[in-house]
Amino acid sequence: MKLFYQLGRVCCLLLIVGMSLAASAQKTFDLLSPDGNIQLSVTLGDRIYYTVSDREHGLLLQNGELQLQLRNETLGKNPRLSGQKRASVDDEIRPVVPFKFSTVRNRYNQLLLNFKGNYSVEFRAFDDGIAHRFITRKKGEVEVIHEDVNLSFAGDYLLHAQLDGFSSYYEGPYEHFESRGFKPDDKTASLPLLIDTRKGVKILLSEADLNDYPCLFFHGRGDDNGLTSILAPAPLETKADQNGRNIRVAREADYIAKTAGTREFPWRWYIIARNDGQLIESTMVCRLSPQNTVEDVSWIKPGLVMWDWMNRWSDYGPEVNYRAGVNTQAYKHYIDFASRNGIPYMVLDEGWSKNIAAPLEVKPEVDLDELVRYGNAKNVGLILWITFRGIQDDFDDDSFNLFEHFSGRGIRGFKIDFMDRNDQVIVNFYERAAREAARYRMLIELHGSFKPAGLEYRYPNVLSYEGVRGVENRGSCIPDNSIYLPFMRNVTGPMSFTPGSMLNVQPESYKQGLGVNLVMIGTRVHHMAYYILFESGLQMIADSPRQFDQNPDCRDFIFSTPVTWDETRALAAEAGQHAIVARRHGDKWWIGGITANNDGKSPEFDLRLDFLQPDRSYRLTAFEDGVNAGQQAMDYDVCRQEVKRGDVIHVRMARNGGWAATIE
């Protein structure tokens, strides 16, 4: 009995010691946002785990996992800490092209964990979210097999995302689904991904400082209730498809990237919004991206762009005394209109060259040099549509430089289309195109692209990206989808939605292929408000000169709207329902609001003008949905009144409606 008692004591002691050793093997590091509302907890065990909590709303993300799998080792597996550093930063960023704010406050607390094996993981906690990234210090090149960014949800959440694959236009409609219903064998979710925790908090997830590395996607985990990362393999062999526009991957590597062993990997960021307006106002990508690398930026001039693509074959009227289509006369007509209305750019879209893969061969119907001369005389710069394939072929030929050639002929920029992939090769192409364009003082819009991830801050000549279900999609571009854009896609960066329809209908009146110009779903004022709500450094004008000239008050309002902003304020915001945003450029304010279908209801809002300067009077001019706009979408009224700081204005919008105003 005595021996049995002694053995029991020994076993208990061994158990206690074992538990103590297990506990000591796990180390937890807490990082608070500067305002103390967000807590990030990092635990080191068999791998690196992290948990995110909000002081008011509790646990949001639990037991997230981070690993970086290289060819011969996995960083983050059984991590051995060698040191840690903490810092607090509070400074200002002044972006060359201000999409939301001319001055961005950059305030965060930082935790840098250094590990044996020459790598680190950096965490930052902002007042509106958190971010993390790997940093490596390896010799030579490394092959990255995979990166684990695995999330576990602390509840049954509602997710909003585009579901697609690696050969993606990023133009699919947003889909809305339960977190437990997102199965591993479903389509992958592209970024940005919006998470409604149903706790009064929404989380927007995306990435920044993306370079020499593929884009991040996610699979669902079904009943396991979370997300698992997936990234496109590096292409080993590519092949042009039959239409000549796209270059598809024919053979994949067994790794996602071959890259420098000493580098900083992309940021994975999470905006944590206690109200949906915080998503609209967020500057997370700006704060996490390297800033301008272009020495002289004086030539970078954002602005409106006249665009003929949606109307070129259906122009009509006495002023159209030429054969509609792609020819010198047609382009001159659009240049004349742009010049009369102070529009600084005109894009020559697909069709000006004989062969989309050989852009040096211009169609005989298009006198490019004459159009450049004519545009310069009218103060309208020309931007050429061109394919990724055309530029990539040029990159492969060291004896010729397409950027130098067209810059020398007076072309102001390229609209580069049909990348439609997101692997390491495409990401590197974006940067090379931006760098070459900057070298020859050319502007860039990336069409057929993935979502922005910060390149536009390093190369501010990159003024816009597509990667959105915009007006080109005609009848499937509906307010019920577009209402998510200010809360998701536009948060990641500038967006070429190509707004500007003057022919407007409610959904039941829409007929695909009406044959005349640009008919779009949503009220007239809904489409006017896009110019205030949607951010783009090259903001396209989609409708025809005739339609705008028949609506001079709407035309003049739209064409007076800036494309850069000194200040942005969300006045009323609910993702999926409505967004009303005030923006300041200089001393003048613009307010734009849109709604979705809203079950046929007409939402109303009382907005307090507490952002105006005190002791001054202002003139408000507002375009409002007319009394019949719920049926006849082109119905609108114009209201004018004197206002001052603190006044309350009443805003009513029809279903699929809008509100657009200036205060000066």
Side-chain angles (χ1 to χ4, degrees):
M1 179 66 72
K2 185 176 180 181
L3 178 62
F4 180 78
Y5 175 73
Q6 289 176 337
L7 287 172
R9 288 189 62 188
V10 170
C11 289
C12 288
L13 287 170
L14 289 173
L15 179 62
I16 292 170
V17 169
M19 292 175 64
S20 300
L21 289 172
S24 64
Q26 286 196 341
K27 297 180 180 179
T28 298
F29 304 84
D30 290 331
L31 183 66
L32 289 176
S33 60
D35 63 7
N37 286 322
I38 297 172
Q39 178 174 315
L40 172 68
S41 295
V42 182
T43 300
L44 306 182
D46 59 339
R47 60 184 63 194
I48 302 169
Y49 298 94
Y50 66 102
T51 295
V52 181
S53 302
D54 178 81
R55 183 167 62 181
E56 181 180 350
H57 300 92
L59 185 64
L60 302 175
L61 302 174
Q62 59 186 0
N63 297 325
E65 302 173 5
L66 301 179
Q67 285 191 149
L68 190 66
Q69 299 177 27
L70 306 183
R71 173 63 69 187
N72 297 313
E73 62 177 321
T74 299
L75 310 184
K77 182 178 180 181
N78 297 318
R80 295 177 297 160
L81 189 70
S82 62
Q84 61 164 306
K85 292 182 180 179
R86 292 179 181 267
S88 295
V89 173
D90 191 353
D91 57 19
E92 289 184 344
I93 300 171
R94 297 182 181 272
V96 173
V97 179
F99 296 109
K100 292 182 189 290
F101 296 91
S102 54
T103 301
V104 174
R105 188 179 184 186
N106 187 29
R107 185 170 79 137
Y108 61 87
N109 290 329
Q110 174 184 290
L111 171 65
L112 180 68
L113 298 179
N114 297 316
F115 298 99
K116 294 179 180 178
N118 296 320
Y119 73 98
S120 307
V121 180
E122 181 179 358
F123 299 89
R124 291 183 185 177
F126 302 87
D127 289 339
D128 64 340
I130 62 111
H132 57 76
R133 67 175 173 184
F134 274 93
I135 302 170
T136 55
R137 297 174 297 279
K138 305 285 186 179
K139 293 181 180 179
E141 282 191 331
V142 295
E143 290 182 356
V144 182
I145 307 301
H146 185 62
E147 181 183 357
D148 292 323
V149 186
N150 299 331
L151 310 179
S152 294
F153 299 138
D156 293 331
Y157 294 169
L158 179 63
L159 308 183
H160 311 269
Q162 291 174 324
L163 298 182
D164 209 333
F166 295 142
S167 294
S168 172
Y169 299 164
Y170 285 69
E171 292 184 34
Y174 288 121
E175 299 190 40
H176 318 281
F177 45 94
E178 296 292 329
S179 58
R180 292 187 189 275
F182 190 22
K183 306 297 184 183
D185 55 353
D186 289 342
K187 289 183 178 180
T188 55
S190 61
L191 299 181
L193 186 148
L194 181 62
I195 304 166
D196 185 350
T197 68
R198 294 176 165 132
K199 300 178 180 181
V201 173
K202 288 188 175 71
I203 303 171
L204 187 67
L205 165 60
S206 196
E207 57 189 335
D209 193 14
L210 177 67
N211 66 89
D212 199 26
Y213 203 73
C215 292
L216 179 66
F217 288 75
F218 283 99
H219 277 313
R221 300 217 306 257
D223 291 338
D224 198 26
N225 199 25
L227 300 174
T228 299
S229 58
I230 181 171
L231 300 94
L236 294 178
E237 183 181 338
T238 58
K239 183 178 180 180
D241 60 14
Q242 289 183 348
N243 64 26
R245 289 177 171 82
N246 299 101
I247 301 178
R248 302 299 186 190
V249 177
R251 187 164 62 94
E252 297 176 341
D254 65 348
Y255 54 85
I256 63 171
K258 183 179 289 185
T259 187
T262 298
R263 61 162 295 172
E264 297 166 337
F265 285 82
W267 286 105
R268 285 65 179 91
W269 56 256
Y270 312 76
I271 297 171
I272 299 170
R274 298 168 197 86
N275 66 76
D276 291 3
Q278 288 181 295
L279 296 171
I280 296 174
E281 295 175 0
S282 181
T283 57
M284 183 69 81
V285 176
C286 175
R287 286 174 276 155
L288 290 172
S289 298
Q291 296 301 304
N292 174 42
T293 60
V294 180
E295 290 186 10
D296 178 14
V297 296
S298 61
W299 54 275
I300 299 175
K301 305 291 185 184
L304 295 172
V305 184
M306 200 62 206
W307 185 49
D308 73 322
W309 174 255
M310 303 297 287
N311 310 281
R312 55 169 49 169
W313 303 112
S314 56
D315 278 349
Y316 68 99
E319 71 277 14
V320 182
N321 56 4
Y322 54 85
R323 186 170 183 82
V326 179
N327 55 68
T328 301
Q329 281 184 290
Y331 283 134
K332 282 187 173 182
H333 175 59
Y334 276 79
I335 291 171
D336 286 339
F337 178 80
S339 181
R340 288 197 306 272
N341 290 281
I343 298 167
Y345 301 110
M346 164 76 190
V347 64
L348 277 60
D349 217 293
E350 180 178 355
W352 61 269
S353 63
K354 287 183 179 181
N355 184 336
I356 60 176
L360 291 179
E361 300 180 51
V362 182
K363 283 184 176 178
E365 300 89 347
V366 177
D367 188 337
L368 188 59
D369 294 328
E370 168 59 15
L371 288 172
V372 170
R373 183 204 64 78
Y374 192 78
N376 287 340
K378 299 273 186 174
N379 294 315
V380 178
L382 300 189
I383 295 172
L384 291 183
W385 177 92
I386 196 167
T387 62
F388 155 63
R389 181 183 177 187
I391 292 184
Q392 184 62 48
D393 288 348
D394 171 59
F395 283 164
D396 293 337
D397 180 3
D398 293 334
S399 65
F400 185 79
N401 190 304
L402 207 62
F403 293 88
E404 181 181 21
H405 172 80
F406 279 109
S407 174
R409 294 178 69 173
I411 297 299
R412 302 287 186 85
F414 284 145
K415 174 183 176 181
I416 307 174
D417 204 351
F418 290 111
M419 286 75 74
D420 299 336
R421 289 173 18 218
N422 36 70
D423 50 63
Q424 182 186 20
V425 168
I426 293 296
V427 171
N428 289 348
F429 169 81
Y430 280 24
E431 180 162 0
R432 185 173 179 184
R435 184 171 61 246
E436 282 297 296
R439 181 181 173 192
Y440 294 102
R441 297 192 166 204
M442 297 183 76
L443 307 176
I444 290 291
E445 176 184 302
L446 294 163
H447 217 60
S449 66
F450 55 75
K451 85 291 172 196
L455 181 68
E456 65 275 16
Y457 294 102
R458 272 187 294 152
Y459 296 95
N461 57 315
V462 178
L463 290 176
S464 199
Y465 304 71
E466 193 186 22
V468 63
R469 194 174 192 83
V471 164
E472 282 189 17
N473 289 277
R474 293 187 180 266
S476 62
C477 176
I478 58 175
D480 277 351
N481 191 74
S482 302
I483 192 63
Y484 284 93
L485 298 177
F487 304 94
M488 295 179 63
R489 166 61 182 81
N490 228 171
V491 181
T492 67
M495 178 179 77
S496 185
F497 182 83
T498 61
S501 171
M502 292 288 101
L503 291 173
N504 320 107
V505 296
Q506 290 290 358
E508 63 273 14
S509 301
Y510 182 84
K511 293 182 180 179
Q512 183 75 36
L514 291 177
V516 284
N517 299 88
L518 182 58
V519 179
M520 293 300 297
I521 296 170
T523 69
R524 167 67 58 80
V525 187
H526 179 100
H527 285 271
M528 294 173 65
Y530 284 155
Y531 284 89
I532 302 166
L533 276 167
F534 293 167
E535 300 156 13
S536 177
L538 288 174
Q539 190 72 279
M540 297 286 172
I541 297 165
D543 219 328
S544 69
R546 180 175 182 81
Q547 293 302 323
F548 281 113
D549 282 342
Q550 289 180 338
N551 298 274
D553 53 351
C554 301
R555 175 199 65 198
D556 294 346
F557 180 92
I558 290 172
F559 296 169
S560 72
T561 306
V563 302
T564 59
W565 304 101
D566 294 310
E567 187 176 352
T568 296
R569 296 199 183 198
L571 304 182
E574 184 178 350
Q577 297 297 316
H578 59 264
I580 305 177
V581 177
R583 300 190 192 268
R584 179 178 61 82
H585 182 93
D587 294 330
K588 186 174 179 178
W589 286 88
W590 277 257
I591 303 178
I594 59 172
T595 64
N597 195 52
N598 292 326
D599 298 322
K601 298 176 182 177
S602 299
E604 301 187 33
F605 307 88
D606 289 317
L607 306 179
R608 185 174 297 278
L609 305 179
D610 57 1
F611 49 84
L612 300 178
Q613 293 295 316
D615 304 320
R616 297 180 67 182
S617 61
Y618 293 82
R619 180 174 68 254
L620 180 146
T621 303
F623 285 75
E624 305 174 330
D625 289 329
V627 66
N628 294 307
Q631 292 74 43
Q632 170 47 270
M634 289 191 288
D635 185 24
Y636 68 92
D637 295 319
V638 181
C639 169
R640 296 177 176 86
Q641 66 184 91
E642 297 296 314
V643 296
K644 63 182 185 301
R645 179 185 175 92
D647 283 355
V648 175
I649 57 175
H650 188 72
V651 172
R652 174 192 170 277
M653 292 185 274
R655 65 187 177 107
N656 303 307
W659 198 82
T662 58
I663 303 178
E664 55 186 324

